[in-house]
């Protein structure tokens, strides 16, 4: 049973929603009040800010630009938008955010996304194909490798597509469970690694014995076959598979009411 | 003591073909005006160092200034890819580009080592990733006290660091605040430094938490109002997000990019 399955704010189910909205809401539900969360830009930032508006008003958001406990009134378009600094408890330098705050293990949850994730939860944001002659050049690692290494646990949020959920990533930018259970310890990584991967179709979690990602939760209206079709390895399904509760009206209205900095008023 | 000089003169004196140049500013205070001046002065064969290359390096790479890029995250933040960088990597247009790739923590620590006068820095990082296989400035070191294996990264000591700040006084002391990134470390790590500022003032009013770079660690200060636009200068102007989105279309197309480049070269 995961705590992503039930709405944590409002119980009135919404009428309609998109798969992306379900993903953001499921990801927001995975964060608990009072946790300290190192947030990547994009889907993780949307979900973390949604959680802070719903059930986790004391969620501490940290961005790699050095903003500690920031409470932006609008979603930042980039990792260092002024709104993150203006609404922060404090702003520190980039060496400090990584060395003093992330590295010693002070952060509860690392919230990441990626272009590829594999069967063992390793993430690729570097290249598709060969490093020297890639098919697609991606942005690279940014803060992710050390976020994945040092946070107490990691939550990955990304759209579930066959090309993204691969048997083995083309490039290990950020380590999940490496080559299997126990590998993180051998590599000297301190955190527990990925505890769940939340997508627009459902939730995958590492098997306690093998560390392989298995399907533990389906979003409402999604079938196991659909998820298998979008997964690049023979996906195992948990015996205790649960169905995500639909978004509540409160969750959906809050999500739809969030604006991005610099976007036109909706 | 830093000289206060016009921007074209500062770039002409401090940035030479073949130099390793770091223009820093983490989303905030990105020295766009200085980068555009480097394009105007047709510098070539630069090794461009920057944690987040973003638009300014996409522009300089497209203009043919760079033969190598040292970085840790190369995208248009919140928008997408850097198409001029991709074109240079995939098609050698307008010139071939080599890369040296790190994580943010690795790059930040390389600057810290450089600023500290040390040959390398130690961090918990990179373990289990594929980055060390492709980057020879990443290694490991054994802790002499515990025997633990840790990542080691080579110090970064650019020939020139260029940053943008809110203001300086007439002696060239510089004050910057908000998201301060790695600017202090980059300036202290570099052999020469140029700071562009929004304004030069008679007296620097203290700002809590501000970084102050004393005039004696800076070679030149140049006034460049709105010199960080389309990024932002905290307390002066906001980020022009529309310009970041617009760059996507310009940078996807070589002809559109060349038209953009002409507007820069014709500007003062």
């Amino acid at each position: 049973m995961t705590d992503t399955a039930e709405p944590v704010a409002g119980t009135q189910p919404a009428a309609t929603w998109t798969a992306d909205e379900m993903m953001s809401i499921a990801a927001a539900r995975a964060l608990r009040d009072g946790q300290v969360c190192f947030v990547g830009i994009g889907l993780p930032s949307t979900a973390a800010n949604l959680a802070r508006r719903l059930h986790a008003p004391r969620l501490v958001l940290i961005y790699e630009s050095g903003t500690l406990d920031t409470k932006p009134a609008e979603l930042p378009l980039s990792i260092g938008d002024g709104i993150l600094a203006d609404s922060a408890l404090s702003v520190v330098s980039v060496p400090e955010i990584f060395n003093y705050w992330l590295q010693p293990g002070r952060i509860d949850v690392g919230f990441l996304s990626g272009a590829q994730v594999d069967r063992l939860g390793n993430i690729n944001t570097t290249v598709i194909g060969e490093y020297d002659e890639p098919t697609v050049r991606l942005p690279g690692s940014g803060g992710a490798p050390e976020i994945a290494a040092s946070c107490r646990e990691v939550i990955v949020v990304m759209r579930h597509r066959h090309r993204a959920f691969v048997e083995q990533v083309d490039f290990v930018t950020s380590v999940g469970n490496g080559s299997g259970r126990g590998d993180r310890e051998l590599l000297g990584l301190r955190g527990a690694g990925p505890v769940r991967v939340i997508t627009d179709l459902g939730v995958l979690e590492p098997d306690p014995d093998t560390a392989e990602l298995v399907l533990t939760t389906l979003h409402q209206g999604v079938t196991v076959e659909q998820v298998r079709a979008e997964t690049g390895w023979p996906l195992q399904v948990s015996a205790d598979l649960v169905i995500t509760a639909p978004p509540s009206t409160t969750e959906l209205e809050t999500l739809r009411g969030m604006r991005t900095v610099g976007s036109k008023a909706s | 003591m830093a000289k206060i000089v016009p921007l074209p003169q500062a770039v002409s004196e401090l940035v030479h073909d073949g130099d390793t140049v770091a223009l820093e500013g983490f989303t905030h205070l990105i020295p766009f005006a200085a980068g555009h001046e480097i394009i105007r002065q047709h510098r070539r064969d630069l090794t461009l160092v920057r944690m987040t290359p973003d638009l300014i390096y996409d522009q300089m790479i497209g203009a043919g200034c760079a033969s190598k890029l040292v970085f840790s995250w190369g995208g248009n933040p919140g928008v997408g890819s850097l198409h001029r960088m991709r074109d240079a990597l995939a098609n050698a247009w307008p010139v071939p580009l080599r890369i040296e790739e790190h994580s943010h923590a690795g790059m930040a620590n390389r600057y810290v080592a450089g600023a500290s006068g040390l040959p390398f820095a130690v961090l918990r990082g990179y373990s289990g990733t594929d980055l060390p296989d492709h980057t020879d400035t990443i290694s490991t070191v054994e802790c002499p006290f515990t025997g633990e294996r840790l990542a080691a990264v080579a110090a970064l000591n650019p020939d020139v660091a260029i940053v943008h700040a809110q203001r300086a006084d007439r002696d060239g002391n510089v004050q910057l605040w908000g998201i301060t990134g790695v600017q202090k470390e980059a300036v202290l790590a570099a052999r020469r430094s140029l700071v562009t500022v929004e304004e030069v003032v008679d007296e620097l009013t203290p700002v809590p938490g501000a970084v102050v770079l004393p005039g004696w660690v800076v070679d030149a200060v140049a006034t460049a109002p709105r010199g960080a636009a389309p990024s932002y200068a905290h307390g002066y102007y906001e980020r022009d997000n529309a310009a970041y989105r617009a760059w996507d279309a310009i940078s996807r197309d070589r002809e559109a990019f060349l038209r953009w480049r002409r507007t820069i070269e014709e500007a003062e």
Side-chain angles (χ1 to χ4, degrees):
Chain A
M1 176 65 192
T2 73
D3 54 2
T4 58
E6 294 298 324
V8 280
T11 49
Q12 193 69 29
T16 59
W17 60 90
T18 67
D20 267 7
E21 287 171 339
M22 184 71 259
M23 169 171 58
S24 296
I25 289 166
R29 288 176 187 169
L31 295 171
R32 295 186 294 280
D33 200 22
Q35 282 186 316
V36 180
C37 185
F38 207 111
V39 189
I41 207 70
L43 295 170
S45 177
T46 303
N49 280 286
L50 178 60
R52 200 173 57 72
R53 284 161 173 74
L54 292 169
H55 59 279
R58 287 159 42 88
L59 185 67
V60 176
L61 302 188
I62 293 179
Y63 286 76
E64 65 193 19
S65 51
T67 59
L68 288 178
D69 198 3
T70 182
K71 300 176 170 68
E74 296 179 340
L75 293 176
L77 179 69
S78 92
I79 204 83
D81 266 335
I83 196 168
L84 293 173
D86 275 330
S87 60
L89 180 66
S90 184
V91 181
V92 301
S93 72
V94 167
E96 180 174 331
I97 202 81
F98 284 104
N99 286 352
Y100 296 1
W101 300 95
L102 177 62
Q103 187 165 259
R106 297 183 210 283
I107 314 291
D108 295 315
V109 188
F111 216 8
L112 295 174
S113 194
Q116 286 183 330
V117 64
D118 69 20
R119 194 171 183 152
L120 288 161
N122 303 300
I123 300 172
N124 174 16
T125 56
T126 303
V127 289
I128 306 294
E130 293 295 317
Y131 185 76
D132 293 319
E133 288 191 36
T135 330
V136 182
R137 173 71 227 187
L138 301 165
S141 52
E146 285 79 20
I147 294 173
S150 294
C151 291
R152 293 199 180 96
E153 56 183 45
V154 172
I155 297 174
V156 181
V157 53
M158 54 192 276
R159 292 189 185 93
H160 212 131
R161 300 291 179 271
H162 193 267
R163 65 166 190 270
F165 282 69
V166 295
E167 173 94 35
Q168 198 170 7
V169 287
D170 291 358
F171 188 101
V172 179
T173 311
S174 306
V175 179
N177 279 303
S179 57
R181 183 62 74 201
D183 200 35
R184 288 185 64 89
E185 290 75 8
L186 291 175
L187 291 168
L189 308 179
R190 295 182 143 190
V195 295
R196 69 189 57 145
V197 179
I198 299 171
T199 81
D200 51 348
L201 301 181
V203 180
L204 312 184
E205 293 176 57
D207 178 273
D209 297 322
T210 64
E212 176 176 319
L213 292 173
V214 300
L215 182 67
T216 57
T217 306
L218 273 180
H219 298 328
Q220 223 171 56
V222 179
T223 64
V224 169
E225 289 65 38
Q226 256 179 293
V227 184
R228 283 203 165 121
E230 296 290 2
T231 305
W233 68 87
L235 180 67
Q236 302 297 305
V237 179
S238 165
D240 306 317
L241 186 72
V242 293
I243 307 296
T244 312
S248 72
T249 50
T250 311
E251 287 173 325
L252 206 57
E253 280 166 15
T254 308
L255 174 62
R256 289 177 180 171
M258 293 201 302
R259 289 183 56 234
T260 300
V261 171
S263 66
K264 291 196 178 76
S266 51
Chain B
M1 200 58 69
K3 288 191 301 182
I4 299 179
V5 293
L7 180 57
Q9 184 188 338
V11 167
S12 163
E13 289 177 3
L14 294 174
V15 183
H16 316 305
D17 286 356
D19 274 354
T20 296
V21 185
L23 279 73
E24 280 295 351
F26 201 93
T27 307
H28 176 218
L29 293 173
I30 299 173
F32 272 92
H36 293 169
E37 184 57 33
I38 290 171
I39 292 174
R40 274 194 285 275
Q41 295 196 15
H42 298 283
R43 287 292 175 279
R44 289 294 177 267
D45 193 28
L46 301 179
T47 292
L48 291 178
V49 183
R50 179 171 164 76
M51 290 180 65
T52 56
D54 61 46
L55 269 56
I56 186 59
Y57 276 16
D58 211 30
Q59 295 169 350
M60 293 171 73
I61 289 166
C65 301
S67 57
K68 186 177 176 187
L69 174 68
V70 182
F71 76 111
S72 42
W73 191 89
N76 180 345
V79 178
S81 300
L82 296 179
H83 301 289
R84 293 297 94 228
M85 171 185 156
R86 279 189 175 187
D87 202 11
L89 287 173
N91 308 308
W93 193 94
V95 291
L97 181 71
R98 289 173 292 129
I99 56 171
E100 179 178 327
E101 187 165 7
H102 277 267
S103 69
H104 278 353
M107 283 291 282
N109 279 290
R110 297 186 70 196
Y111 277 124
V112 168
S116 307
L118 290 169
F120 69 94
V122 170
L123 70 152
R124 282 184 198 288
Y126 294 118
S127 184
T129 76
D130 286 337
L131 282 159
D133 293 341
H134 301 278
T135 304
D136 62 11
T137 44
I138 304 171
S139 186
T140 55
V141 68
E142 187 182 297
C143 170
F145 305 105
T146 65
E148 188 181 358
R149 301 292 291 181
L150 295 160
V153 286
L156 251 174
N157 292 103
D159 294 309
V160 198
I162 302 177
V163 301
H164 187 75
Q166 279 94 342
R167 60 196 183 204
D169 66 17
R170 296 190 190 284
D171 292 330
N173 300 304
V174 172
Q175 195 181 44
L176 69 92
W177 65 91
I179 287 173
T180 54
V182 287
Q183 287 99 305
K184 179 166 74 177
E185 290 76 13
V187 166
L188 296 179
R191 296 175 182 90
R192 303 186 293 278
S193 58
L194 162 63
V195 184
T196 56
V197 293
E198 288 297 317
E199 58 176 337
V200 173
V201 296
D202 290 330
E203 288 232 0
L204 281 183
T205 316
V207 176
V211 168
V212 174
L213 295 165
W216 48 271
V217 300
V218 175
D219 289 295
V221 169
T223 308
R226 294 193 61 82
S231 80
Y232 68 106
H234 212 122
Y236 284 74
Y237 48 92
E238 293 186 352
R239 191 172 189 268
D240 182 358
N241 284 320
Y244 281 79
R245 293 192 180 98
W247 181 252
D248 193 69
I250 297 167
S251 62
R252 274 175 193 274
D253 179 66
R254 287 181 187 171
E255 290 305 317
F257 168 75
L258 289 170
R259 282 195 296 277
W260 173 87
R261 183 182 158 179
R262 277 196 291 279
T263 66
I264 287 298
E265 289 181 336
E266 286 160 9
E268 280 299 308

